[in-house]
């Protein structure tokens, strides 16, 4: 499979076995990494011939990129679709933080992150695809909510992009670092609640409008 320096993305030809091929690719990439994944192993895991695999994905980077984009988009949609944009900031941010942290700590996210870091020098487009299909979607949704919250007088923010990034970084405190460095793989609800509550408290201390930010009913 070609892995030359060409940066232009090649469009794949979708068909009946498209999802089947991507499912096989997901299985192999997450175990073997990008470099260690072979065409034979992917075709075997997908239950298709090498000719069929090549007909959909003539480039291994394209296969990895589309696999990561599909899974990241699915996770992001599931995490954000139930967020009520009309609800008060503490309620929305607490819910968003819980879902964001669980995605970041998931085995899939951790493995894909490691692959993207390992291949960053040779194939920087892999990291860009991962970011665009996952973290960037969550960032945009948080920004949309913060704009609406500010229009209601619940927060006061000058730089919405920075605020959304700061919120995501607050959610990474402690647990994400432990996961990335392999210090811990299983996390309790109490450990996650600790990070969530602190992240929301710190964010609202900086951006909340005193007297206008509704109290989270769970804190009463």
């Amino acid at each position: 499979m070609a892995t030359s320096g060409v940066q232009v993305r090649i469009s794949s030809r979708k068909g009946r076995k498209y999802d089947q091929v991507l499912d096989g690719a997901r299985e192999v990439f997450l175990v073997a990494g990008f470099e260690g994944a072979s065409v034979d192993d992917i075709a075997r895991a997908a239950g298709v011939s090498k000719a069929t695999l090549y007909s959909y994905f003539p480039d291994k980077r394209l296969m990895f990129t589309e696999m990561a984009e599909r899974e990241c988009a699915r996770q992001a949609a599931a995490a954000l679709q139930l967020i009520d944009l009309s609800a008060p900031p503490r309620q929305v941010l607490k819910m968003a933080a819980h879902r964001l942290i669980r995605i970041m700590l998931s085995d899939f996210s951790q493995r894909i992150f490691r692959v993207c870091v390992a291949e960053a020098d040779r194939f920087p487009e892999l990291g860009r695809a991962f970011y665009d299909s996952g973290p960037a979607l969550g960032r945009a949704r948080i920004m949309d909510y913060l704009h609406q919250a500010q229009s209601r007088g619940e927060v006061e923010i000058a730089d919405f992009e920075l605020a959304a990034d700061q919120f995501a970084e607050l959610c990474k405190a402690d647990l994400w670092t432990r996961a990335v460095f392999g210090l811990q793989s299983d996390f309790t609800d109490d450990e996650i609640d600790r990070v969530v509550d602190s992240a929301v408290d710190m964010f609202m201390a900086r951006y909340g409008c005193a007297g206008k930010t509704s109290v989270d009913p769970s804190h009463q």
Side-chain angles (χ1 to χ4, degrees):
M1 238 177 214
T3 54
S4 64
V6 177
Q7 302 295 314
V8 178
R9 181 173 172 174
I10 307 169
S11 297
S12 64
R13 177 174 62 81
K14 295 187 179 182
R16 182 173 58 86
K17 295 188 176 181
Y18 174 80
D19 288 336
Q20 188 174 329
V21 171
L22 284 184
D23 288 341
R26 181 185 190 279
E27 178 182 333
V28 175
F29 279 130
L30 294 188
V31 172
F34 179 83
E35 185 63 26
S38 72
V39 177
D40 289 334
D41 288 341
I42 294 173
R44 187 178 305 112
V48 301
S49 67
K50 289 173 64 175
T52 297
L53 187 148
Y54 278 119
S55 72
Y56 290 121
F57 299 103
D59 184 281
K60 190 166 78 169
R61 283 176 297 171
L62 174 61
M63 187 189 309
F64 177 87
T65 297
E66 294 210 10
M67 179 277 295
E69 285 181 347
R70 183 184 67 163
E71 186 67 19
C72 289
R74 184 191 65 78
Q75 288 192 1
L80 299 171
Q81 65 182 351
L82 299 179
I83 291 180
D84 181 359
L85 298 184
S86 66
R90 282 190 177 275
Q91 179 181 333
V92 170
L93 294 176
K94 185 173 182 178
M95 182 182 297
H98 268 288
R99 294 175 179 178
L100 178 60
I101 290 173
R102 291 187 184 280
I103 287 177
M104 290 190 298
L105 297 180
S106 70
D107 182 64
F108 171 81
S109 294
Q110 289 292 315
R111 288 177 181 270
I112 291 295
F113 175 79
R114 292 188 181 101
V115 170
C116 290
V117 170
E119 303 294 337
D121 289 340
R122 291 187 302 161
F123 309 130
E125 69 271 23
L126 296 180
R128 169 55 62 182
F130 172 65
Y131 177 78
D132 287 345
S133 60
L137 295 179
R139 180 178 188 253
R141 189 64 182 273
I142 291 297
M143 286 173 58
D144 287 343
Y145 172 74
L146 293 176
H147 276 288
Q148 294 192 35
Q150 178 150 301
S151 71
R152 297 191 296 265
E154 296 169 334
V155 297
E156 185 174 350
I157 299 172
D159 189 333
F160 287 91
E161 291 185 350
L162 178 61
D165 288 338
Q166 288 172 332
F167 180 69
E169 291 303 313
L170 288 171
C171 291
K172 288 183 177 180
D174 189 23
L175 305 187
W176 185 80
T177 303
R178 288 178 174 274
V180 165
F181 288 101
L183 303 178
Q184 188 174 346
S185 58
D186 295 318
F187 301 89
T188 66
D189 290 341
D190 287 343
E191 288 177 311
I192 293 175
D193 287 343
R194 170 175 169 265
V195 174
V196 168
D197 291 342
S198 180
V200 174
D201 285 345
M202 291 187 70
F203 189 87
M204 294 307 296
R206 171 62 180 86
Y207 293 113
C209 294
K212 294 184 178 181
T213 53
S214 302
V215 176
D216 185 340
S218 66
H219 286 181
Q220 293 181 340

